[in-house]
Amino acid sequence: MQQVTKVDGIEVYSEGEGTETIVMIHGWPDTYRVWDAQVEELKHRYRCVRFTLPGFDITKPRRAYSLDATIRIISYIVNSVNQKQKVILMLHDWGCMFGYEYYMRNKQAVSAIIGVDIGDAQSKAVRNSRSLSQKLMVSGYQGTLALAWAIGGPIGNMMTRSMARMLKVPSPPEFISVKMNFPYYIMAAGEAGSYRTMTPFAPKVPVLFIYGVRKPFMFHSDSWADKLAAKEGCKVVAFDTDHWPMLRQPERFNEVVLDWLVKPADNDEAAEQDAAA
């Protein structure tokens, strides 16, 4: 049975009766609904918690949330649902960026991480791996979304939904709006504190990294993935999909996640070592 509570104005959806809690954080241009297939499968073994990122809800006022404000709200939500135990993070796209940062600031609160399609996206290694045409594609779509945010209103919405169609986004268009674009505006204009203070993601807890290969460019470097895969308890899995493996191949995605969750390294021991580092 789904339970809905409010934390700092954010609706938080909880489902499942498991002793472990999975906190699911989506990216652009999605909402909590992107995890429907995962909750349906995982709720029989885990307590699944999800929410729409602050600023992404089409029904809420348009607002840009700084990095600190976003992490603070995630912290409030995790603290409200963790039952005084470590949580598992399941992250995608901007959810990875924010979830990785949350982990780096709250290592003692996380037992394992499932990252989807975003690795060391802002690293020099990723930038150097891209061709000129790929760099132009990245700056093109991100710049368009940043400009749409600056314009706002019906024109901003039209630009955002047009870009979503161009990128073949699977999320329902009725939930997509220009309000979701503030991270790109912050990144482009350096507003609201920018994201330059983000801590490089250096996990010491078990990590499952799943990514799609059918994309014009990657959001991780080969060296990062190889290093992660070599770590005990960690795993890297490529899917024959685009940026949304959990939506394109939900059955396989859930199978990979469940198989890994029951076989990772000793999460508690790893988390304790990480918190002490």
Side-chain angles (χ1 to χ4, degrees), residues 12 31 37 58 95-96 147 164 174 206 239 256:
V12 179
T31 66
I58 197 170
C96 288
L147 178 60
E174 61 267 27
F239 273 52
V256 169

Side-chain angles (χ1 to χ4, degrees), residues 175-192:
F175 299 119
I176 298 175
S177 82
V178 68
K179 298 175 184 179
M180 300 172 159
N181 296 354
F182 73 87
Y184 296 103
Y185 181 70
I186 290 175
M187 191 163 59
E191 297 292 332

Side-chain angles (χ1 to χ4, degrees), residues 110-265:
V110 177
S111 63
I113 299 172
I114 301 161
V116 185
D117 217 64
I118 300 290
D120 58 331
Q122 301 301 314
S123 71
K124 184 177 180 180
V126 168
R127 292 194 298 272
N128 290 342
S129 70
R130 289 173 178 161
S131 66
L132 177 59
S133 62
Q134 290 173 328
K135 291 176 181 177
L136 290 174
M137 281 188 281
V138 172
S139 62
Y141 90 82
Q142 292 182 350
T144 298
L145 295 176
L147 178 60
W149 165 266
I151 294 171
I155 294 176
N157 279 329
M158 180 188 67
M159 292 172 65
T160 302
R161 289 169 182 162
S162 295
M163 181 55 67
R165 286 195 299 272
M166 187 181 303
L167 297 174
K168 299 181 180 179
V169 169
S171 292
E174 61 267 27
F175 299 119
I176 298 175
S177 82
V178 68
K179 298 175 184 179
M180 300 172 159
N181 296 354
F182 73 87
Y184 296 103
Y185 181 70
I186 290 175
M187 191 163 59
E191 297 292 332
S194 187
Y195 294 135
R196 287 189 291 269
T197 59
M198 275 189 165
T199 308
F201 181 48
K204 294 185 180 178
V205 293
V207 175
L208 169 63
F209 180 60
I210 296 173
Y211 68 98
V213 299
R214 287 196 285 109
K215 306 191 299 287
F217 45 81
M218 295 293 168
F219 296 100
H220 72 276
S221 63
D222 289 341
S223 58
W224 181 87
D226 291 343
K227 183 178 178 180
L228 181 67
K231 294 180 65 174
E232 185 177 359
C234 296
K235 188 174 184 178
V236 175
V237 182
F239 273 52
D240 185 25
T241 69
D242 59 9
H243 186 52
W244 287 267
M246 68 284 198
L247 289 177
R248 304 304 192 186
Q249 295 183 6
E251 291 184 2
R252 184 188 174 213
F253 184 94
N254 292 341
E255 181 181 356
V256 169
V257 167
L258 277 171
D259 182 64
W260 179 79
L261 282 173
V262 299
K263 296 178 181 178

Side-chain angles (χ1 to χ4, degrees), residues 39-97:
V39 172
E40 189 61 30
E41 178 66 32
L42 296 172
K43 68 181 181 181
H44 304 294
R45 302 189 187 188
Y46 299 89
R47 184 162 166 262
C48 300
V49 174
R50 52 189 173 147
F51 56 93
T52 296
L53 279 167
F56 278 57
D57 192 333
I58 197 170
T59 67
K60 302 291 177 64
R62 179 174 177 266
R63 174 186 167 186
Y65 285 79
S66 69
L67 177 62
D68 286 345
T70 301
I71 302 305
R72 183 165 57 248
I73 291 172
I74 293 174
S75 296
Y76 291 159
I77 292 172
V78 172
N79 290 340
S80 74
V81 302
N82 64 5
Q83 300 177 330
K84 298 183 178 180
Q85 296 179 348
K86 298 178 180 69
V87 301
I88 300 164
L89 298 179
M90 181 179 287
L91 316 167
H92 176 246
D93 193 73
W94 276 101
C96 288
M97 302 295 287

